[in-house]
Amino acid sequence: FEQNTVFILEQGNYSELFTLKDGILSNSKFETISALTDISFVVKNKGKWGVYRADKMQLAIPCEYDRIIFEGNNTVLLNKEGLWGAKMIILKLSGVNIPVKFFEIQTLSQKEKLFSVKCSQENYKGETYFDYTIVDECGKEPYKMHSLHGKAHFKFYSIERVLSFDGEKYGFINMYGYTSIPFKYDKVEEREDGLFDVCINEAWGV
C-alpha cells in the first residue's frame, strides 16, 4: 500500500479514515463513510450527509443534506427538504455553487458549466406554475435564457443544439436565445451516429 492510500475503518457504530502516513485522520469520525474518489468521501453525521476531503482533513460540504448524488468529475447534487442544488467537492476553488432552491436538477454539460432545473414561476394573475430552465454554475440563467423555458428537462448537445419540449412538441434551441430547429416533432431519439430519429404523426425520419 502507498503511504497516502486512504482506508475506511469501521468501528461498530461509527467509521473513521486512516492512512499509513498520518494514522487516523483528524475530523474523520462519522456514522457512515463511502468513497467518492481517492480523496473525497460522502459522510453521514446525525442523519445528514456531507463530503469530507482526506487531503485537507476537513469537510468540503457540511453534513446538512438529506441526499447527495455524485455523477463523477468534481460536482455533487445536493438535496435538502425536497429542494436541489449543486456544489463542487474541491476546496478553495471557484466553480459550481448552486443554491438549494430548485425542485429538480440535472447536469447538462460534461464541463459542469450548465444545469437543467425545475423551478416555480408566477403568471400575471399571481398563480404559481412549474417549468424547466437552464442555469449556470452559480444557479443563474445565462443571458437571454430567461425567455427559454420548457416543460421537461433540457438536453445539451452543443451551443446550437439544446433539446427542449414546449409541452406539445420537441425541438432545439441554442444558447443565444433562438429556436435552432422548430418545435414540430412528437418524439426525438438520439442515434449512435450523431443524428436523431424523429417522429411526426407516427411517421419516422432521420
Side-chain angles (χ1 to χ4, degrees):
F1 299 112
E2 296 180 3
Q3 291 291 311
N4 293 326
T5 300
V6 184
F7 298 93
I8 300 173
L9 301 181
E10 296 184 356
Q11 305 280 353
N13 60 349
Y14 69 92
S15 297
E16 292 180 291
L17 296 174
F18 168 87
T19 68
L20 295 176
K21 177 183 177 183
D22 299 308
I24 299 293
L25 302 188
S26 61
N27 306 311
S28 72
K29 186 176 181 180
F30 299 98
E31 296 168 11
T32 304
I33 301 175
S34 298
L36 298 180
T37 68
D38 291 342
I39 57 174
S40 298
F41 298 82
V42 63
V43 297
K44 188 177 185 180
N45 187 39
K46 296 181 179 178
K48 298 294 183 179
W49 297 93
V51 175
Y52 179 92
R53 290 279 299 202
D55 55 336
K56 302 295 183 180
M57 298 188 194
Q58 68 182 87
L59 287 168
I61 298 175
C63 292
E64 57 184 48
Y65 298 97
D66 301 318
R67 188 178 177 192
I68 291 179
I69 296 176
F70 179 62
E71 297 182 325
N73 295 329
N74 300 309
T75 299
V76 290
L77 307 181
L78 306 169
N79 179 276
K80 187 176 183 180
E81 298 178 355
L83 298 177
W84 289 91
K87 194 173 181 69
M88 287 189 71
I89 59 176
I90 300 177
L91 290 164
K92 297 181 180 179
L93 282 181
S94 60
V96 180
N97 188 13
I98 299 176
V100 179
K101 65 177 185 178
F102 298 104
F103 294 93
E104 295 175 13
I105 188 169
Q106 290 184 5
T107 305
L108 272 187
S109 61
Q110 290 184 343
K111 294 183 178 180
E112 299 178 329
K113 296 293 185 181
L114 296 172
F115 296 80
S116 176
V117 297
K118 182 181 181 181
C119 55
S120 61
Q121 307 284 342
E122 277 193 7
N123 61 21
Y124 67 96
K125 296 180 180 179
E127 299 169 333
T128 300
Y129 66 96
F130 298 93
D131 64 9
Y132 295 81
T133 188
I134 295 175
V135 298
D136 62 17
E137 64 260 42
C138 296
K140 297 180 180 179
E141 290 182 290
Y143 178 63
K144 292 186 178 180
M145 284 304 298
H146 62 278
S147 62
L148 298 172
H149 287 246
K151 300 300 181 184
H153 275 295
F154 294 84
K155 191 166 184 180
F156 183 89
Y157 293 97
S158 70
I159 295 297
E160 292 289 343
R161 299 287 184 266
V162 182
L163 181 62
S164 183
F165 181 63
D166 67 2
E168 295 183 357
K169 302 288 184 179
Y170 289 91
F172 289 78
I173 60 174
N174 64 28
M175 293 302 296
Y176 306 106
Y178 301 100
T179 298
S180 57
I181 296 177
F183 285 75
K184 62 181 183 180
Y185 301 104
D186 299 315
K187 295 180 182 179
V188 176
E189 297 178 358
E190 185 179 5
R191 295 159 52 102
E192 293 183 357
D193 57 9
L195 302 177
F196 296 87
D197 291 327
V198 294
C199 177
I200 299 178
N201 296 328
E202 298 185 0
W204 287 87
V206 179

